[in-house]
Amino acid sequence: MLIDTHAHLDFPEFADLAAVLDRAEKAGVREIVTIGINLDSSREAIRLAQLYPRIYAAVGIHPHDAFALDEEALSTVRDLCREPRVLAVGEIGLDYYRNYMPQEIQRECFKHQLEIAAALGLPVVFHIREAFNDFFDIVGGRASSLGGGILHCFSGDWTVAKKCLDLGFYLSIPGTVTFTKADALRDVAGRAPIDRLLLETDAPYLAPVPFRGKVNEPAFVYHTALKVAQLRGCSLEELAAATTANAHRVFRIDDRLGRAETR
């Protein structure tokens, strides 16, 4: 069994979601975490998780949508995080590559949401792009107070990866690991401890080879898994078992859903 730890199933590319989930099931992808990027997207992620037993949600405000959070917005984020099928705060973080929002506003929005995650004991799904220095400055002293952390669509080299691992975080490997020029990511995927790796699609983006350039979907995480298994010299079954166990551990899937069912 595989789990796609990062997809955006509320996006319009997945209007026929039943067909998308059927293809995922046939590819051995039995669970999916659908990720919010703003308040509306987070609400929709929760709705989908309530409709489909194999879908879980993460909620948060992406750096592209960052704004100076007032108390009403913070209260809304907190309330969404308390929904039973919400596993994490995310995706949140810093994006200095696109810089769609001023960096200071990105940092403040990030810090506010880290405080919510720490207060509720939730793991965080991090979006960090060309901003690792500020990321480590902000998160370094907070890591122990968080309920875990996942570097979504990891884009750093081994030096950055080692710092993330030392903070206790997990590295999520996307389909870009199959791209010809992704040498740094392949190095990380091959060297990192297997018990700290996750797999994701970031669907509908970043489809792996042989579907590069097409709409990505959860079924395609199978091809990412094949590549990572090849890099590590292990079987697909071994990698699938390890990464699925890792996802259940960092997201505390069985624990959170078990508590939700007793409410």
Side-chain angles (χ1 to χ4, degrees), residues 46 69 91 123 156 175 220 248:
I46 292 170
L69 293 174
E91 63 187 282
F220 296 169
H248 276 243

Side-chain angles (χ1 to χ4, degrees), residues 28-108:
V29 182
R30 305 292 173 80
E31 296 174 309
I32 304 163
V33 183
T34 190
I35 308 290
I37 57 172
N38 53 41
L39 296 180
D40 287 342
S41 175
S42 294
R43 292 187 184 98
E44 182 62 11
I46 292 170
R47 187 187 74 84
L48 294 175
Q50 291 170 340
L51 281 175
Y52 298 96
R54 296 291 189 177
I55 295 177
Y56 314 112
V59 301
I61 298 173
H62 189 287
H64 291 345
D65 291 88
F67 59 95
L69 293 174
D70 58 21
E71 189 50 47
E72 181 180 358
L74 286 170
S75 178
T76 299
V77 173
R78 287 191 203 99
D79 289 344
L80 293 176
C81 286
R82 291 188 177 102
E83 290 290 330
R85 294 188 66 80
V86 172
L87 303 180
V89 178
E91 63 187 282
I92 67 174
L94 307 168
D95 193 315
Y96 295 174
Y97 177 74
R98 298 290 184 190
N99 261 334
Y100 288 153
M101 290 289 172
Q103 293 180 7
E104 182 57 32
I105 288 181
Q106 291 188 46
R107 288 190 289 269
E108 289 305 305

Side-chain angles (χ1 to χ4, degrees), residues 27-225:
V29 182
R30 305 292 173 80
E31 296 174 309
I32 304 163
V33 183
T34 190
I35 308 290
I37 57 172
N38 53 41
L39 296 180
D40 287 342
S41 175
S42 294
R43 292 187 184 98
E44 182 62 11
I46 292 170
R47 187 187 74 84
L48 294 175
Q50 291 170 340
L51 281 175
Y52 298 96
R54 296 291 189 177
I55 295 177
Y56 314 112
V59 301
I61 298 173
H62 189 287
H64 291 345
D65 291 88
F67 59 95
L69 293 174
D70 58 21
E71 189 50 47
E72 181 180 358
L74 286 170
S75 178
T76 299
V77 173
R78 287 191 203 99
D79 289 344
L80 293 176
C81 286
R82 291 188 177 102
E83 290 290 330
R85 294 188 66 80
V86 172
L87 303 180
V89 178
E91 63 187 282
I92 67 174
L94 307 168
D95 193 315
Y96 295 174
Y97 177 74
R98 298 290 184 190
N99 261 334
Y100 288 153
M101 290 289 172
Q103 293 180 7
E104 182 57 32
I105 288 181
Q106 291 188 46
R107 288 190 289 269
E108 289 305 305
C109 190
F110 185 33
K111 291 174 185 176
H112 283 311
Q113 292 180 95
L114 288 175
E115 290 170 2
I116 291 173
L120 297 178
L122 289 174
V124 178
V125 179
F126 299 114
H127 173 110
I128 310 297
R129 195 168 185 194
E130 295 192 5
F132 279 107
N133 287 338
D134 278 0
F135 169 70
F136 289 124
D137 285 344
I138 292 170
V139 173
R142 295 175 168 89
S144 61
S145 68
L146 301 174
I150 300 100
L151 273 297
H152 145 63
C153 201
F154 184 74
S155 60
D157 59 15
W158 177 247
T159 299
V160 172
K162 185 67 167 58
K163 289 182 180 180
C164 295
L165 293 168
D166 289 344
L167 288 171
F169 298 150
Y170 290 70
L171 309 177
S172 188
I173 308 299
T176 52
V177 74
T178 67
F179 294 3
T180 302
K181 296 182 179 180
D183 292 334
L185 180 57
R186 282 194 288 274
D187 179 51
V188 169
R191 293 173 65 178
I194 196 169
D195 63 352
R196 303 288 283 283
L197 288 180
L198 303 172
L199 302 173
E200 67 166 86
T201 58
D202 199 20
Y205 308 113
L206 303 176
V209 175
F211 300 102
R212 186 173 182 181
K214 300 179 188 276
V215 172
N216 202 2
E217 61 178 81
F220 296 169
V221 81
Y222 171 85
H223 298 277
T224 302

